[in-house]
Amino acid sequence: MQLQSKYTPFYRHQDARWLTLRDNSPTDFPFGESQARIACDSQVVTAHNQALGCVRNLDFLKVNLWVFWLDPWFLDYLERKKKEAQELDLDCIPVFEERGFDWNLSRQGASRYSFRLTSGDITLLFNRRKAEDPIPSCRLEIGSLSCWSPGFLPIYEGVKTFLATYGCEIVKELVSEVHLAADFINVDINELDLEAKTKWVSRGTDFVSYARHNHLTSVNWISKDIMLRIYDKVTELKRSRATHKQEIFAEVWGLQQFDQNPVTRVEFELRRPKLREFSDQDQQLRIDTVYDLTSSLKSLWLYLTSEWVKHTISPVDRNHNQSRAKVSEFWQKVRNVVWTGVLGLIRNHPVRHKDVDMLRKQARGMLMSVCASLEIEPNDIDRIVVFCQDLIEEDLHDLFEDEQKFTRKMITKRNEFRATMAG
């Protein structure tokens, strides 16, 4: 699939001086690796990740859509199913299983949206507004795991195909929020000297650093519509105890275990008011659509790491020319991240969007509580196991007496775990 045309415009922020994009030769690539190793359209060979030292991708994407319905059947159907979920006192109900997605419909919508569909960590929101209304009639949100596997572009294209199947015509789209993330493998955040505010030059308004047990975990530069977060990704994954995420990122990083090496993430979050301040030299092209975004990633990263913020070798004299401050070795590597092509991890089995190990621990804990309440001897493991087996068998068979309700609930729970496209 060809993702970009031969002409890729250079987008410039309205407040930035004109910058020239570097021709990233092999010697310019961080850690001495060639750009060609990752300049692919849809995939990256994960075996090379450790050698490369860095992988990059979008970590979140939100797109507002203005749509025209050729047939109102779709929204009418969602209305009926939403009422059914409310009458049955269900949090959500399965509605569609096709085009690579297994969708659940929530009993409640969201702000400005009446209907909320979810498939794994992908969300679609709808209202009944007209295509010409200033407020969008649809919103697509792609979460972290789906952005990394199979990638935000396959998800975006799959959602458009799904909507077209049901008579939806997209007449306008605007990227509302995007997170650009670069993971530096085998780089320890505590060895980078990032916590000293005096060694930063930034247009951000607030600087915050966090530490735990005398170890730095993150630093943040915050402004109204841009935020930079640099943090220990391994520690974050450990805190969340989400084994499904740990598994995915181990594959992304090309490691056997997610905590095999330290990993420092550099992540920029940009919202719509800031994105619309970028344009090409003739001010004819702006970052509106997802494809505008894909062709602007190099420009965005260059502005963010060269103009909006930079980390320096030594403390900066605020009374002199800050632009002459020499950037640190780490920040030079950050600047040199190559945003050519689109990263996507293709896996042989579906991505899980919930932690099965954590659910099993919760189930064990609850069953042990039931046994304790009945005063079963705490060291009588055989009786405890038999009792729990009998209890589960009895309860599940009781639920299965209403086969339709049981099946619907199982499908709903399955849809919460995975988006089929992410396999």
Side-chain angles (χ1 to χ4, degrees):
M1 178 173 59
Q2 185 65 34
L3 302 179
Q4 300 179 13
S5 64
K6 292 182 179 179
Y7 170 64
T8 300
F10 174 53
Y11 291 86
R12 169 189 178 271
H13 187 265
Q14 63 183 19
D15 297 330
R17 59 188 172 87
W18 272 106
L19 300 169
T20 302
L21 280 175
R22 295 182 301 272
D23 179 15
N24 289 301
S25 62
T27 56
D28 289 330
F29 192 77
F31 306 94
E33 290 295 318
S34 169
Q35 172 187 346
R37 296 281 294 277
I38 63 171
C40 50
D41 285 339
S42 61
Q43 302 180 41
V44 66
V45 181
T46 57
H48 296 323
N49 287 354
Q50 259 190 294
L52 291 171
C54 175
V55 292
R56 79 287 179 273
N57 198 6
L58 302 193
D59 198 65
F60 177 77
L61 178 62
K62 183 190 296 185
V63 187
N64 289 332
L65 303 171
W66 283 256
V67 302
F68 173 76
W69 293 97
L70 302 176
D71 188 333
W73 173 89
F74 183 86
L75 296 180
D76 293 341
Y77 173 74
L78 294 185
E79 188 77 58
R80 293 195 303 271
K81 299 299 287 185
K82 180 179 176 180
K83 290 180 179 178
E84 181 182 341
Q86 292 170 343
E87 290 170 356
L88 296 173
D89 196 25
L90 301 173
D91 291 333
C92 56
I93 192 169
V95 286
F96 298 105
E97 297 179 32
E98 61 173 292
R99 301 293 174 182
F101 301 98
D102 298 327
W103 296 105
N104 286 338
L105 173 67
S106 299
R107 62 178 294 166
Q108 294 182 333
S111 176
R112 294 185 174 183
Y113 296 94
S114 303
F115 310 110
R116 184 173 185 267
L117 292 178
T118 58
S119 179
D121 66 346
I122 304 163
T123 300
L124 266 176
L125 300 167
F126 298 96
N127 58 43
R128 291 185 178 273
R129 294 182 182 273
K130 304 295 184 182
E132 60 272 16
D133 197 290
I135 296 176
S137 46
C138 177
R139 188 169 81 201
L140 167 64
E141 298 177 3
I142 306 176
S144 175
L145 287 187
S146 290
C147 277
W148 287 91
S149 175
F152 69 94
L153 270 176
I155 295 294
Y156 166 75
E157 288 292 347
V159 167
K160 288 203 302 181
T161 301
F162 167 75
L163 293 176
T165 301
Y166 289 96
C168 175
E169 180 182 336
I170 298 174
V171 299
K172 178 184 175 182
E173 69 175 88
L174 290 177
V175 174
S176 174
E177 183 177 344
V178 62
H179 298 186
L180 280 67
D183 291 344
F184 292 85
I185 303 156
N186 204 27
V187 174
D188 189 340
I189 191 173
N190 285 278
E191 298 177 357
L192 301 176
D193 193 23
L194 302 178
E195 64 270 30
K197 184 179 179 180
T198 56
K199 291 188 177 181
W200 288 93
V201 177
S202 175
R203 295 186 180 185
T205 55
D206 299 303
F207 177 79
V208 183
S209 64
Y210 298 96
R212 185 173 182 176
H213 304 306
N214 295 322
H215 288 278
L216 182 69
T217 57
S218 72
V219 296
N220 304 275
W221 273 104
I222 305 167
S223 66
K224 185 177 180 181
D225 296 305
I226 298 182
M227 181 168 75
L228 165 65
R229 297 176 63 223
I230 305 178
Y231 57 100
D232 183 338
K233 185 64 178 177
V234 173
T235 296
E236 185 206 48
L237 291 173
K238 285 181 178 179
R239 283 182 187 173
S240 66
R241 298 181 180 177
T243 57
H244 61 303
K245 291 185 178 180
Q246 295 170 1
E247 177 187 347
I248 291 295
F249 281 106
E251 292 185 47
V252 168
W253 299 332
L255 304 176
Q256 295 297 319
Q257 300 290 333
F258 82 99
D259 56 356
Q260 178 180 332
N261 297 92
V263 177
T264 296
R265 168 167 290 190
V266 177
E267 182 172 347
F268 287 96
E269 303 178 9
L270 294 91
R271 296 182 176 86
R272 182 66 204 165
K274 186 59 62 174
L275 288 171
R276 69 187 179 200
E277 294 176 0
F278 289 84
S279 64
D280 69 338
Q281 187 169 7
D282 298 326
Q283 297 189 354
Q284 299 296 314
L285 299 174
R286 299 187 183 276
I287 304 174
D288 293 334
T289 70
V290 171
Y291 287 110
D292 293 336
L293 178 66
T294 62
S295 65
S296 70
L297 294 177
K298 291 172 69 176
S299 303
L300 288 174
W301 193 259
L302 182 60
Y303 166 76
L304 292 169
T305 59
S306 299
E307 293 283 308
W308 194 80
V309 66
K310 61 183 177 181
H311 182 249
T312 61
I313 293 177
S314 55
V316 178
D317 186 345
R318 307 292 170 181
N319 298 318
H320 291 78
N321 191 343
Q322 298 180 29
S323 64
R324 295 180 180 177
K326 189 174 181 180
V327 299
S328 65
E329 180 182 356
F330 171 68
W331 201 251
Q332 189 60 51
K333 292 175 180 178
V334 172
R335 283 183 175 179
N336 286 343
V337 172
V338 178
W339 284 87
T340 304
V342 179
L343 179 85
L345 175 66
I346 306 301
R347 311 179 78 234
N348 294 324
H349 52 282
V351 172
R352 291 182 298 167
H353 290 271
K354 283 194 175 183
D355 191 339
V356 175
D357 292 338
M358 182 61 66
L359 291 173
R360 291 181 63 183
K361 288 180 181 179
Q362 292 173 356
R364 289 197 299 268
M366 287 185 284
L367 288 171
M368 290 172 68
S369 296
V370 172
C371 293
S373 70
L374 298 174
E375 299 190 357
I376 299 176
E377 289 296 324
N379 61 349
D380 192 349
I381 184 62
D382 291 333
R383 187 182 175 195
I384 291 173
V385 170
V386 171
F387 177 79
C388 290
Q389 288 175 337
D390 291 343
L391 190 67
I392 293 172
E393 184 176 354
E394 179 182 348
D395 287 351
L396 289 178
H397 277 292
D398 287 345
L399 287 174
F400 196 72
E401 288 184 3
D402 187 340
E403 184 176 349
Q404 183 179 5
K405 180 180 178 180
F406 182 89
T407 302
R408 181 177 60 236
K409 184 173 290 189
M410 285 297 297
I411 293 174
T412 300
K413 291 184 178 297
R414 181 201 66 188
N415 294 353
E416 291 173 354
F417 268 81
R418 64 184 177 89
T420 306
M421 269 199 65

